[in-house]
Amino acid sequence: MFRRLIFLSLAFSVLIALSVQGFSLTKTTDSRVIHISYGTSSDIVYNLNSGTYEVFSNKKKIIANAYALVKNNEESISSKDYEQIKFEEAAIKDKFGVGKKYTIILTKSGLPQMEQVFYVYPGHDYFLTEVSLKGSGVKSNYMAPLVSNGANIYAKGDVRTLFVPFDNDTFIRYNAKPMGANLVENTSSEVGAIYENQTRKGLILGSVEHMVWKTGVLSKGTDNSLTELSVWGGYTDEKVTRDKVAHGFISGSAVKSPKVFVGYFSDWRTGLEAYGKANRIAEPPFVFNWTKPVPFGWNSWGVIQEKLTYEKAVKNVDFFADELPKFRNDSTAYIDLDSFWDNFTGGMRGDYSKLKEFADYCKSKGLQPGVYWAPFTDWGFKSGGDREAEGSKYKFGEMWTKVGGAYHDFDGARALDPTHPGTKKRIDFIIDKLKVCGFKMIKIDFLGHAAAESDIFYDKSVTTGMQAYRAGMEYLINRMDGKMLVYAAISPNMATGRYAHIKRIACDAWKTIKDTEYTLNSVNYGWWQTFVYNYLDADHIVFSNEKEGANRARLTSGLITGTLIMGDDFSSPGVWNETAKKLLNNEQLLAIPKSGVAFMPVNGNTGEQSNELFVRKIGNSLYLAILNFDGKKKLFTIPLDRLGIKNSSYKAKELFSGKNFRINKTLKYELNGADASIIKIELL
């Protein structure tokens, strides 16, 4: 009898092993462990007894004791709370490639069923994971696929934890916070990065889905190790997401978290670029794909602002047509009227004939007309809510977003409920007018107002700010009917990727070296968004009466960010006109933004400031931008291997001066204070 029991036990073990082909499964009296491989040499090790998992790279444990944590109503539930845990494996072929999907199914009497899902691909050194609850009356505003009390990046030195803002409003800055002997805590929006600057090893975690949840990434630790790490849907913070109330609830028979990206990389910069690309795969553009070349242009807000007139606008068209013949891409440039174009019409309900006349004039000069609007804001709310909104009989007071028993006021404007029919009718009215005028580009602004969490939305099926944002943006883009290039100014950084061709990387910037440094802080730590959008933009570039060095630096910030939008008032005489003719007819400089890809930072250890070195390979050349934000002359000493090139000697050219020189092993370059240089290094 005893032998028979032993035989049956062994047979049962064999059956278990055969049933989970593709895993390495070890069963003992204490544990059942699943090994899930991904990338080239990485594994997720899931313990089916404890409901926890660990993440390994090259046999090094990167994340320890990870688990899922969610709320059902107000009750917190962890994957560690469940008694019965099983798993399923399925082959998948999706937009990420050929891979496998592993579903961990957790059950316990009295609890809704929990499912943890892992998506892995041999071609990607990251995995995707999510958690869901299933059952009657499930309701949640907090879902974390990954919570851990231990993580390590195995690189001591200048370790940083990166704060990424939710949007680009209020002159907010990215912040690479130093991790040293003292405990450092950081909560980043949508994505976080923990890395060491010199070796560049780093851990990247973040959401690749933004249509339902706002996501937070918490890191807490010292030196190169963390004692707390979590990624969750349901994040709000008034200083970051602008919300004045808690995240909305999702309810139903099944509720799912955002899908989360997790990867450990030898270079944190390539890790963030992989994260950016994964976002565009997970949430492809809703707006039509832009297949034309990188747009160049001009915007009236740089200098003219509220003094915009038809005469000034036309003179600026003439300047670009006659004085800047080389400032073109695809044989054209965009002349964009920002806020106060309604000076032409006598108000939003006025006569649009003069606006159409301007658009026609642009086209007659071989240029493309652009325009501006903030579709989800009421700037006149202080005059009361009984005012009738354009395009319908609805009153503005009916359309205001309801927040905490009051309203969502921000940036001097009151938010409009994106799901309200009055908001939609207003979009119909304005967009249809602009289409009839023949505008080919639109700059849309203050979009974050549409993403605010609210007490209640007009559309009762919408319960979170990101659901409202999706509803409003999809309606807006559909109404444009593919007629315009879409440029997003102030807006959520990640969620706007579906709806805009161009995204402004930072908040407003004008002419000074301080404006340049502020803008490049966002490029330094957010350049990877170049893979979320068709293009990034450094805002309107203004020369004004600044010194030559400051003008070179401001132009450089645009050249290395993506598109190129100028902002001086070229209808008025001044030194800026001559500066523009000198710099904007330089074809070697203009060749740089035609690539459409933002430059990568050389360093990432500058806190809330920008580093001074940016690099990008374009064709057979390596371009290095050097900026000196200080007032004094500075000598830069840059080893070539820090730039990713190995040979000892290269031909090089400084593009502003046209000076040729050679580099041997180390680039030594002296630059005046408040100035910039762009060096083209020939790799062949």
Side-chain angles (χ1 to χ4, degrees), residues 632-644:
K632 297 179 180 179
K633 185 180 292 187
K634 184 173 181 178
L635 176 65
F636 290 85
T637 303
I638 310 159
L640 294 186
D641 60 0
R642 191 66 178 164
L643 303 179

Side-chain angles (χ1 to χ4, degrees), residues 238-412:
E238 187 172 356
K239 292 181 180 179
V240 181
T241 67
R242 321 298 176 186
D243 293 300
K244 299 176 183 178
V245 294
H247 197 284
F249 281 83
I250 303 295
S251 59
S253 59
V255 176
K256 186 185 84 66
S257 76
K259 187 177 288 185
V260 167
F261 172 110
V262 182
Y264 177 71
F265 296 87
S266 59
D267 188 329
W268 66 279
R269 302 173 306 164
T270 56
L272 278 171
E273 289 192 350
Y275 169 74
K277 293 171 185 176
N279 275 266
R280 198 164 176 89
I281 295 170
E283 292 187 342
F286 183 83
V287 68
F288 73 92
N289 187 40
W290 183 258
T291 56
K292 296 180 181 179
V294 181
F296 290 3
W298 173 86
N299 178 268
S300 64
W301 194 251
V303 171
I304 296 175
Q305 299 190 6
E306 76 280 0
K307 298 180 179 65
L308 183 61
T309 64
Y310 180 85
E311 290 72 23
K312 281 182 174 291
V314 165
K315 286 181 180 179
N316 274 280
V317 171
D318 290 340
F319 184 83
F320 278 86
D322 302 333
E323 304 296 338
L324 298 177
K326 295 180 181 178
F327 186 76
R328 302 286 188 277
N329 207 5
D330 194 28
S331 302
T332 193
Y334 290 80
I335 307 299
D336 187 36
L337 304 180
D338 208 283
S339 189
F340 291 96
W341 54 259
D342 55 326
N343 291 347
F344 293 19
T345 63
M348 294 291 189
R349 292 188 181 87
D351 180 1
Y352 281 69
S353 59
K354 204 68 177 175
L355 206 59
K356 185 179 187 306
E357 187 178 330
F358 166 79
D360 290 342
Y361 187 76
C362 281
K363 295 172 188 175
S364 73
K365 291 286 188 173
L367 301 166
Q368 296 294 338
V371 72
Y372 169 99
W373 194 39
F376 303 109
T377 56
D378 176 15
W379 295 93
F381 71 94
K382 291 182 180 179
S383 298
D386 287 334
R387 295 167 297 119
E388 195 173 274
E390 299 92 346
S392 73
K393 297 295 183 181
Y394 288 104
K395 303 294 179 65
F396 275 106
E398 301 174 66
M399 298 154 54
W400 291 337
T401 299
K402 316 301 187 292
V403 177
Y407 305 103
H408 186 79
D409 297 341
F410 197 71
D411 289 330

Side-chain angles (χ1 to χ4, degrees), residues 571-593:
S571 71
S572 300
V575 64
W576 50 88
N577 291 1
E578 296 308 310
T579 301
K581 284 188 278 187
K582 178 182 178 181
L583 294 178
L584 302 183
N585 282 317
N586 184 327
E587 293 183 82
Q588 291 200 49
L589 291 174
L590 295 180
I592 296 171

